[in-house]
Amino acid sequence: MPTVLADTVLERFRRVGALLEGHFRLTSGLHSPGYLQCALVLQHPEEAEACGVEIAGKVRDLSPQVVLSPALGGIVIGQEVGRALGVRAIFAERQDGKLMLRRGFSLAPGERVLVVEDVVTTGGSTRETIEVAHALGATVVGASAIIDRSGGQQDVGVPFRALATVSLPTYQPDACPLCAAGQPVVKPGSRTT
Ligand SMILES: [Zn+2]
């Protein structure tokens, strides 16, 4: 069952050309020959909705009362998960480098929070988003993502459930064979074509 679901998710990425190959600098700072561009899936509302429904089905037992996502990557899928669960969806964003709630968003002490992202690589931004909720006294019941591209290696300190787990290779910049071969590195999304 999980395998079937994962295949379905990856098939969705293939279908819309969201699995890119080359030499990429990920948000985590790591380099990789592959990149899953979730925005290319989520631009299609019916695909975004389907991902949201599938994530909701995997986390409903955690009884979340609110979805919290880091901007920008988590906003669209967070909204869809919130819709599917019938709870509100809010996002945290950076101000002066620090992730925080803005725009009048709030969390009540003890409120049950589910952190939702598009892709988790090292878990760094997920942990940072969890910290935002903890600092406000909320209870983080779990975290979820469309893609876990750590190959299941990350540990975010709360139950973590992804629709698909993939293990595309990642390299520290100073140990990257693509850099060593002189291939220019690009930040995904920095090119418009
Ligand atoms: Zn490199």
Side-chain angles (χ1 to χ4, degrees), residues 68-70 90-94 98-102 107 113 115 125-138 140:
L68 173 64
S69 298
I90 63 176
F91 54 87
E93 57 198 306
R94 283 187 198 287
K98 187 173 158 48
L99 201 63
M100 61 180 67
L101 297 187
R102 298 177 65 189
L107 290 170
V113 175
V115 170
S125 75
T126 297
R127 283 190 293 271
E128 203 178 347
T129 307
I130 288 170
E131 264 315 301
V132 169
H134 282 165
L136 295 167
V140 179

Side-chain angles (χ1 to χ4, degrees), residues 3 13 18 54 56-57 60 74 76 85 87 98 105 116 121-122 129 145 151 158 162 176 192:
T3 307
F13 277 73
E54 286 172 24
R60 195 168 271 113
V76 172
L85 289 171
V87 304
K98 187 173 158 48
F105 289 149
V116 173
T121 303
T122 62
T129 307
V158 297
C176 174
T192 53

Side-chain angles (χ1 to χ4, degrees), residues 4 9 11 16 18 46 59 62 69 80 93 99 105 108 114 118 121 124 133 137 153 159 165 169 176 179 189:
V4 172
V9 172
E11 176 53 34
V16 302
E46 72 279 10
V59 301
L62 300 171
S69 298
E80 291 296 338
E93 57 198 306
L99 201 63
F105 289 149
L114 175 74
D118 52 355
T121 303
Q153 296 306 301
T165 299
C176 174
C179 283

Side-chain angles (χ1 to χ4, degrees), residues 44-96:
H44 302 289
E46 72 279 10
E47 304 281 8
E49 179 181 26
C51 288
V53 167
E54 286 172 24
I55 288 177
K58 289 175 90 82
V59 301
R60 195 168 271 113
D61 63 304
L62 300 171
S63 304
Q65 295 172 305
V66 57
V67 169
L68 173 64
S69 298
L72 284 164
I75 293 179
V76 172
I77 187 59
Q79 180 78 20
E80 291 296 338
V81 174
R83 186 208 307 271
L85 289 171
V87 304
R88 74 190 210 281
I90 63 176
F91 54 87
E93 57 198 306
R94 283 187 198 287
Q95 185 168 35
D96 301 325

Side-chain angles (χ1 to χ4, degrees), residues 23-25 30-32 171-173 175-180 183-185:
H23 182 196
F24 302 102
R25 183 188 304 113
L30 301 175
H31 290 195
S32 179
Y171 309 108
Q172 295 293 338
C176 174
L178 300 167
C179 283
Q183 187 177 337
V185 65

